[in-house]
Amino acid sequence: MSLFAASAAVASSAAAYGYDTIRPVARLRFCGLRREALRLHSPRSTLQLVAARRSVVAAATAGNGAAASGGFDYDIVIIGAGVGGHGAALHAVEKGLKTAIIEGDIVGGTCVNRGCVPSKALLAVSGRMRELQDEHHMKSLGLQVSSPGYDRQAVADHANNLASKIRSNLTNSMKALGVDILTGIGTIVGKQKVRYGKVGFAENEITARNIIIATGSVPFVPKGIEIDGKTVFTSDHALKLESVPEWIAIVGSGYIGLEFSDVYTALGSEVTFVEALDQLMPGFDPEIAKLAQRILINPRKIDYHTGVFASKITPAKDGKPVLIELIDAKTKEHKETLEVDAALIATGRAPFTKGLGLENINVVTQRGFVPVDERMQVMDATGNVVPNLYCIGDANGKLMLAHAASAQGISVVEQISGRDNILNHLSIPAACFTHPEISMVGLTEPQAREKADKEGFEISVVKTSFKANTKALAENEGDGLAKMIYRPDTGEILGVHILGLHAADLIHEASNAIALGTHVQDIKFAVHAHPTLSEVLDELFKAAKVNTGVSHSINEPVAV
Amino acid sequence: MAGLLHLHLQLQSTLLPSASALRRRAGAPAPSSSRRRCRVEAKIREIFMPALSSTMTEGKIVSWTAAEGDRLAKGDPVVVVESDKADMDVETFHDGFLAAVLVPAGESAPVGSAIALLAESEEEIPVAQSQAASFSSSSPSPPPPQETAAEEASLTPPPPPPPAPVAVSAPAPPSPATRGGGRVVASPYAKKLAKDLGVDLFSVTGSGPGGRIVAKDVEAAAAPKKAAPVTAARPDVPLGSTVPFTTMQGAVSKNMVESLAVPTFRVGYTITTDALDQLYKKIKSKGVTMSALLAKATAMALVQHPVVNSSCRDGKSFTYSSSINIAVAVAIDGGLITPVLQDADKLDIYSLSRKWKDLVDKARAKQLQPHEYNSGTFTLSNLGMFGVDRFDAILPPGTGSIMAVGASEPTIVGTKDGRIGIKNQMQVNVTADHRIIYGADLAAFLQTLAKIIEDPKDLTF
């Protein structure tokens, strides 16, 4: 949310994976300095640009107290007070814009209440449980631990309490800065007009110069699956940890399913994955996925069925177990019926855009997602940009991660404040908090190869194992791999993938480098403290071989 | 699902061309099988235990990354081998199918020895597997419950099809946990264990919710009974006829008659086996068997009482043996044989168990060398698996003593503090040659043995 983050998020490159080509690296440096004055700055907001982070509160109160310019009730109204909305709101206040945020359910949205926050609490417990139960690991360190156990309710309480704490922190931070928190379901009733109100109560109508849609997503439940919240449930229910089943089937092996398998197996359950595609963890780099399978799946009480859909799931009743009918993903013929104690549906998330009133402004959703361009501006049914209307976060489907939502929010506020901003989605890292963790930024190896083939450049890959890292070995956690894909002709980093201890924290060196356009040949001189896990990345950078001086792609003829 | 799946599908489509590109780079897969059939010799390659350091002479296999039947491309990791620095992935240098694993996980093999067979095409897998049978004593094809098979020493021919109905030690007629249509419902861990222990899930009764097979059902099916080997599926006896002795039966008869010339006496002892049972439960997953544990305990007791390990060959002198070789009586089809665990006091329990497994397989296949069955200095005979509580054995010529072991039964005992408790108790009875071993010697030996068994922490050295 700081100024630095804002400039780091700025880049001229294209948005989501696989779309568009990446413009030349050189542009990355200059884009942040370009100022396209879309509207006149008030003297106050110019001051704020110069003000340091610490003085935000003073500047903000000054900013949000004044009336919005142009006769509107607010400069920005944000529909949805999740992570995306919150990030946008804080940044807007910093920029001196009068801001309101509408929340129809609970502040914090999915991340705080039903996502990141409680799941990390559960994963912290499961990580410790797994360590303490690993007799072999403890013995090798010289430790003896006698029968570790857990109290399910206490674990659930830890997650709940954490969610409450973060939720109140979020609310207070917005209140302190003077953001108006309006309660109710928000609907766009016309250009720059929003109506909101609690169900059954009178509605209020407000005008806003700019509207940001940040309504997020809900767990997607495919047809044929009957949810009862107790034996067949989604992540929303699972995070309450009302029970720990003996055998649970997890439908979907993406990062949500994977994290839950980590939690459940550490707490004593056995897990069966049901995956529609032919390999598990389809979103990860294939080499990482293979190693992840060896470390996270094979040695644990987990088995799996790939290439199948769960066509019908019936909850448990009258002593009968949960029945899951599996059909072949391609031929649709019945393959097997599983009988398990519980089923978790982790087949992705669907955007929550119903009731937004988009039809009032001629915007048509695509499979529920709000169509946007690379600046998060909403596009209407005719393909034109709808002015003063933006959509960020899960609702637009570009990159369904919490920090992507807030980065998009900041990008939009930057634009509203008069500075054009296009977020480089390839510099946004992602992490999976299993034990050991997995993280990535940029392209996977197959994606990089495809791009290289299409645009005519070579790529190189360097890899290093955590077994070579002193700190990892000291902890006896040498299982892991880090790999970097880069261009040997320019030194541009295309992607970094890490599987290992604290991978989620280590990735930021790489994501920063990609965001700032740092070349490998420059970053290899940066010093890393010893002995730390960050030396894993140091190894990668130092192992990369760049032919500096070759400034053209191999396809261009060389002047003789 | 929509958004993420959209991304996933995108990624998937990019994966496919690259995957085939990778395969192209890895080298052409196996050529068409039709050409192969014309050749007489099949292309079966051996995967060797690599030397991971200059000083390595033997490597231990941590785990097999690929399973039998998996297709491998050049460069794919096949097995993880423990070196002194780290666990190293060993890759295959050729494309093919992993046809047979010769050295299972947890075992060691000398550098350069074959640890697996790689067949070039799927058709050659059975050929490779039959080759594998001649490589080592362990049969590669899915056998009946590993442990019981090793203990049983029943004559099942190599490539065994459905598990042969094993006598006595098998539990009551197995009822499969299938559900209309021959489907097996087993939990993920149960399936893994079944694969590792070689248990056929169709023969296991499930005790979990809804009749599903859980891990402990698989363990129970694979576990050997407390008793050591013995029992065979005895062939039908032709009643009303006279059948001459076979060579083996003649040898046994001769030995038994010779033993009549030896003055013997017997001493019995009751040993509490609770601690031993607990130890066994803890380490049996590492391949340790009860017979190995008893042999080791006996050997350790003999170290302290060498006279019990001696023999009287000429009627007028003690022949003290320099090593402690425990012979264990095994009933095999058509007779009785005593494979010998040499230097049982010097080996650790895991090596002893491995050796025992090899010996039993060889005995089953009638491939024991003379020195492997006639070099015993002390014999163990166990009829506990039949429920026999005590018996006494006949002293084999050339040895000083033989110990007969009965079943371990929960027994009501009076404890030292005047209370009543239940302990598992086992009766052993030693028959010894009174020319060299006297009552006190034998009693002292049994006292030491009881102490070792009742406090077995040293057994795992």
Side-chain angles (χ1 to χ4, degrees):
Chain A
M1 247 85 66
S2 66
L3 281 170
F4 176 78
S7 52
V10 161
S12 63
S13 306
Y17 287 96
Y19 292 162
D20 289 330
T21 58
I22 297 208
R23 294 176 220 166
V25 169
R27 288 279 295 274
L28 280 169
R29 296 205 183 251
F30 297 110
C31 208
L33 302 173
R34 265 200 297 141
R35 274 168 221 274
E36 281 174 12
L38 292 177
R39 47 188 80 80
L40 287 165
H41 291 289
S42 70
R44 219 176 269 116
S45 39
T46 318
L47 270 173
Q48 272 141 29
L49 282 173
V50 171
R53 181 86 179 98
R54 297 275 142 63
S55 56
V56 157
V57 175
T61 22
N64 221 27
S69 47
F72 292 95
D73 294 329
Y74 294 98
D75 289 315
I76 298 188
V77 163
I78 305 168
I79 307 181
V83 173
H86 174 257
L90 291 194
H91 196 63
V93 166
E94 202 184 305
K95 296 284 162 229
L97 303 165
K98 187 159 164 62
T99 315
I101 192 161
I102 303 177
E103 177 52 53
D105 180 21
I106 191 171
V107 170
T110 297
C111 170
V112 173
N113 302 293
R114 304 175 290 275
C116 332
V117 170
S119 68
K120 265 68 246 168
L122 293 182
L123 281 161
V125 172
S126 74
R128 280 208 180 47
M129 215 26 210
R130 192 179 291 288
E131 243 196 285
L132 292 172
Q133 281 173 333
D134 189 348
E135 268 183 48
H136 176 77
H137 184 110
M138 291 283 123
K139 250 212 176 95
S140 67
L141 292 170
L143 296 172
Q144 279 144 288
V145 181
S146 58
S147 38
Y150 66 90
D151 173 356
R152 186 203 53 80
Q153 189 56 52
V155 173
D157 290 341
H158 171 57
N160 276 333
N161 295 340
L162 183 65
S164 304
K165 189 145 100 170
I166 308 286
R167 181 167 59 237
S168 63
N169 283 353
L170 226 73
T171 319
N172 292 339
S173 67
M174 286 194 293
K175 278 205 197 123
L177 293 173
V179 175
D180 285 346
I181 303 179
L182 309 168
T183 338
I185 311 277
T187 313
I188 303 173
V189 289
K191 188 165 145 62
Q192 294 169 313
K193 258 205 279 256
V194 177
R195 202 179 288 161
Y196 71 95
K198 288 203 264 227
V199 176
F201 287 77
E203 297 203 310
N204 300 312
E205 196 171 294
I206 49 175
T207 55
R209 186 144 47 81
N210 296 285
I211 303 174
I212 304 181
I213 298 171
T215 47
S217 63
V218 290
F220 171 71
V221 179
K223 238 180 353 143
I225 299 180
E226 195 189 319
I227 302 274
D228 75 342
K230 289 211 162 12
T231 57
V232 181
F233 46 82
T234 64
S235 57
D236 288 355
H237 310 102
L239 288 167
K240 299 211 202 90
L241 204 68
E242 279 165 4
S243 71
V244 177
E246 267 186 51
W247 185 6
I248 180 166
I250 298 182
V251 183
S253 66
Y255 69 92
I256 295 182
L258 208 56
E259 284 182 1
F260 272 107
S261 79
D262 196 287
V263 173
Y264 280 118
T265 49
L267 296 180
S269 311
E270 298 188 31
V271 168
T272 296
F273 274 117
V274 173
E275 170 57 49
L277 297 177
D278 287 330
Q279 55 230 62
L280 292 176
M281 303 175 273
F284 295 82
D285 177 274
E287 203 172 345
I288 297 284
K290 209 152 89 162
L291 185 63
Q293 193 164 325
R294 260 183 60 202
I295 300 178
L296 297 173
I297 295 186
N298 293 352
R300 299 182 182 175
K301 300 183 182 174
I302 304 176
D303 69 351
Y304 50 89
H305 302 267
T306 50
V308 290
F309 286 135
S311 62
K312 186 159 149 48
I313 301 187
T314 333
K317 55 170 157 258
D318 310 324
K320 282 204 308 193
V322 173
L323 292 170
I324 304 180
E325 284 180 29
L326 298 178
I327 57 170
D328 186 287
K330 296 192 196 56
T331 66
K332 306 286 183 282
E333 51 172 292
H334 176 86
K335 271 193 110 173
E336 212 179 320
T337 303
L338 299 179
E339 294 173 22
V340 294
D341 298 315
L344 168 69
I345 311 301
T347 44
R349 298 184 63 89
F352 185 64
T353 49
K354 271 202 287 270
L356 267 175
L358 293 171
E359 58 282 356
N360 297 334
I361 37 172
N362 195 24
V363 172
V364 177
T365 59
Q366 292 166 358
R367 286 163 301 136
F369 292 106
V370 176
V372 295
D373 66 2
E374 57 190 5
R375 291 181 173 77
M376 307 303 127
Q377 292 171 300
V378 176
M379 319 273 280
D380 67 14
T382 62
N384 295 322
V385 167
V386 177
N388 306 107
L389 181 64
Y390 303 85
C391 177
I392 59 171
D394 285 6
N396 71 29
K398 273 198 179 303
L399 185 56
M400 296 170 83
L401 295 173
H403 47 279
S406 70
Q408 288 170 353
I410 292 170
S411 162
V412 164
V413 170
E414 283 292 294
Q415 293 171 49
I416 291 174
S417 307
R419 277 167 304 282
D420 189 27
N421 188 301
I422 298 178
L423 179 59
N424 174 12
H425 284 75
L426 282 174
S427 71
I428 299 184
C432 180
F433 296 84
T434 46
H435 299 92
E437 296 174 347
I438 309 177
S439 62
M440 65 207 79
V441 66
L443 303 170
T444 63
E445 195 175 330
Q447 285 172 330
R449 275 194 204 281
E450 195 190 338
K451 200 172 141 69
D453 288 343
K454 209 160 53 154
E455 296 176 21
F457 57 82
E458 291 276 300
I459 64 165
S460 290
V461 179
V462 281
K463 290 182 257 198
T464 178
S465 164
F466 273 64
K467 275 209 214 306
N469 183 277
T470 311
K471 186 90 186 322
L473 289 177
E475 309 261 354
N476 241 323
E477 303 260 4
D479 285 328
L481 173 74
K483 77 190 255 191
M484 175 170 76
I485 308 153
Y486 65 102
R487 277 184 70 157
D489 53 351
T490 59
E492 180 188 346
I493 302 174
L494 298 170
V496 174
H497 302 264
I498 311 178
L499 162 61
L501 187 62
H502 291 307
D505 298 318
L506 296 173
I507 195 72
H508 295 92
E509 206 178 342
S511 61
N512 275 358
I514 294 182
L516 297 171
T518 316
H519 298 251
V520 168
Q521 60 268 34
D522 298 325
I523 204 173
K524 65 163 71 178
F525 289 104
V527 179
H528 296 73
H530 176 81
T532 58
L533 294 167
S534 69
E535 290 175 285
V536 168
L537 275 129
D538 191 33
E539 289 260 329
L540 282 183
F541 297 142
K542 289 193 161 62
K545 293 193 193 350
V546 177
N547 323 320
T548 39
V550 181
S551 56
H552 48 264
S553 88
I554 51 170
N555 280 345
E556 284 178 43
V558 179
V560 173
Chain B
M1 173 150 107
L4 265 178
L5 188 59
H6 179 64
L7 282 173
H8 289 170
L9 282 174
Q10 272 221 317
L11 290 170
Q12 182 68 351
S13 60
T14 61
L15 274 172
L16 288 174
S18 304
S20 57
L22 280 170
R23 243 183 260 129
R24 254 184 278 126
R25 280 173 207 160
S32 63
S33 51
S34 53
R35 286 201 322 205
R36 285 263 157 252
R37 282 197 206 106
C38 305
R39 300 224 189 145
V40 174
E41 49 160 298
K43 255 305 189 65
I44 313 267
R45 289 204 175 83
E46 291 171 358
I47 298 182
F48 296 104
M49 170 66 72
L52 296 171
S53 70
S54 50
T55 49
M56 182 171 147
T57 52
E58 185 183 82
K60 175 155 154 221
I61 295 185
V62 175
S63 60
W64 282 96
T65 317
E68 286 186 5
D70 280 357
R71 164 191 267 277
L72 299 167
K74 185 160 99 156
D76 277 349
V78 179
V79 62
V80 181
V81 172
E82 191 181 83
S83 81
D84 50 358
K85 296 191 179 50
D87 290 350
M88 314 278 278
D89 271 328
V90 175
E91 295 167 354
T92 165
F93 294 114
H94 302 278
D95 294 337
F97 291 85
L98 185 64
V101 166
L102 301 171
V103 181
E107 302 211 353
S108 306
V111 167
S113 66
I115 52 174
L117 294 179
L118 192 72
E120 273 213 48
S121 65
E122 258 180 303
E123 285 78 16
E124 281 142 9
I125 295 183
V127 177
Q129 294 197 328
S130 53
Q131 267 192 21
S134 64
F135 255 103
S136 60
S137 45
S138 53
S139 62
S141 24
Q146 276 297 27
E147 288 287 351
T148 5
E151 305 294 73
E152 295 285 79
S154 51
L155 268 183
T156 46
V166 181
V168 190
S169 297
S175 45
T178 54
R179 198 150 296 232
R183 198 160 47 82
V184 161
V185 181
S187 83
Y189 189 38
K191 281 194 199 148
K192 267 206 179 93
L193 273 183
K195 191 160 170 232
D196 292 339
L197 299 176
V199 172
D200 180 8
L201 284 170
F202 278 93
S203 66
V204 178
T205 325
S207 69
R212 78 169 76 121
I213 300 174
V214 285
K216 64 176 186 340
D217 300 327
V218 175
E219 283 177 345
K225 292 314 161 228
K226 212 311 233 311
V230 183
T231 107
R234 287 219 134 255
D236 283 52
V237 178
L239 301 171
S241 64
T242 308
V243 182
F245 282 156
T246 63
T247 328
M248 179 185 289
Q249 288 164 337
V252 171
S253 172
K254 179 163 160 296
N255 282 342
M256 297 295 103
V257 170
E258 263 180 43
S259 74
L260 290 172
V262 177
T264 56
F265 74 112
R266 290 145 183 78
V267 178
Y269 211 96
T270 302
I271 303 180
T272 304
T273 59
D274 288 308
L276 188 70
D277 290 337
Q278 263 197 345
L279 175 66
Y280 172 62
K281 239 198 259 173
K282 258 208 281 189
I283 56 177
K284 77 175 179 198
S285 58
K286 304 200 178 113
V288 176
T289 62
M290 200 35 113
S291 7
L293 279 171
L294 287 171
K296 176 91 182 144
T298 311
M300 285 167 67
L302 286 171
V303 168
Q304 300 178 43
H305 302 274
V307 74
V308 182
N309 196 40
S310 67
S311 59
C312 185
R313 299 291 165 96
D314 55 0
K316 43 187 167 65
S317 52
F318 291 85
T319 306
Y320 291 107
S321 170
S322 50
S323 42
I324 298 179
N325 302 334
I326 307 281
V328 185
V330 172
I332 54 172
D333 195 33
L336 171 69
I337 200 152
T338 53
V340 177
L341 283 165
Q342 309 201 327
D343 290 314
D345 57 321
K346 300 212 173 61
L347 287 176
D348 67 280
I349 189 67
Y350 305 105
S351 317
L352 212 60
S353 299
R354 269 199 299 273
K355 265 200 135 172
W356 180 242
K357 181 168 173 294
D358 286 340
L359 284 171
V360 170
D361 290 337
K362 274 196 192 162
R364 194 206 316 161
K366 299 214 167 132
Q367 286 175 354
L368 277 181
Q369 303 297 308
H371 73 92
E372 285 173 328
Y373 59 76
N374 63 13
S375 55
T377 56
F378 184 98
T379 316
L380 263 184
S381 180
N382 191 334
L383 288 180
M385 78 287 282
F386 288 101
V388 168
D389 58 349
R390 86 207 101 90
F391 68 109
D392 54 65
I394 297 179
L395 188 62
T399 61
S401 18
I402 175 170
M403 183 162 83
V405 177
S408 176
E409 297 288 334
T411 315
I412 300 183
V413 297
T415 59
K416 282 197 185 63
D417 50 359
R419 297 201 191 164
I420 299 181
I422 295 196
K423 288 196 209 265
N424 285 346
Q425 304 225 302
M426 163 175 93
Q427 293 188 51
V428 306
N429 198 322
V430 181
T431 308
D433 181 344
H434 208 296
R435 295 175 294 177
I436 45 172
I437 302 170
Y438 301 174
D441 301 324
L442 200 44
F445 162 74
L446 282 168
Q447 196 176 45
T448 309
L449 179 64
K451 269 211 197 66
I452 294 175
I453 289 181
E454 286 168 3
D455 185 9
K457 58 180 184 319
D458 291 335
L459 279 184
T460 45
F461 279 126

